[in-house]
Amino acid sequence: MSVFTEKSGTKNIKPDRKQIRQLKQILGFRPRKAGLYYLSLVHKSAAIKIYQNAKLNNERLEFLGDAILDSVIAEHLYKNFPDKDEGFLTQ
């Protein structure tokens, strides 16, 4: 995942101590890569105000998360419905 995030420019995101404390309070632990957690909460409309960069938002992380969920769900359906065809699995 580090290559994905480095290319998207997220290695430049460094939440301040207050933001890290807030993340810890919400999550119950201090994330090792707090910048990714913080970025996951930044909507595209807020990216320009916060970072002066419309590309630093949660959309790329959302894309990655969706792809992972799609894979997990596809595997679950494939294993649990061995007699069903592609149309059923897709639906």
Side-chain angles (χ1 to χ4, degrees):
M1 183 143 138
S2 62
V3 172
F4 176 85
T5 57
E6 287 174 13
K7 288 187 177 184
S8 65
T10 59
K11 67 180 184 176
N12 299 327
I13 295 175
K14 298 192 187 235
D16 61 28
R17 289 181 181 182
K18 180 181 177 185
Q19 293 165 331
I20 292 173
R21 278 196 308 271
Q22 290 171 335
L23 282 173
K24 184 178 178 182
Q25 185 177 8
I26 292 167
L27 300 170
F29 65 94
R30 185 190 184 283
R32 189 170 7 138
K33 294 188 177 187
L36 286 175
Y37 284 81
Y38 188 74
L39 181 64
S40 72
L41 302 172
V42 176
H43 189 268
K44 186 176 184 177
S45 64
I48 294 173
K49 291 179 184 179
I50 297 171
Y51 301 115
Q52 289 76 46
N53 185 342
K55 291 184 179 182
L56 294 178
N57 60 60
N58 63 0
E59 288 186 348
R60 287 177 57 88
L61 293 172
E62 181 181 5
F63 167 79
L64 182 61
D66 289 348
I68 292 168
L69 281 175
D70 287 346
S71 177
V72 169
I73 292 168
E75 180 181 11
H76 173 79
L77 292 172
Y78 190 81
K79 286 181 177 180
N80 288 298
F81 298 98
D83 298 332
K84 299 293 183 180
D85 63 8
E86 176 197 5
F88 173 86
L89 297 174
T90 300
Q91 192 175 33

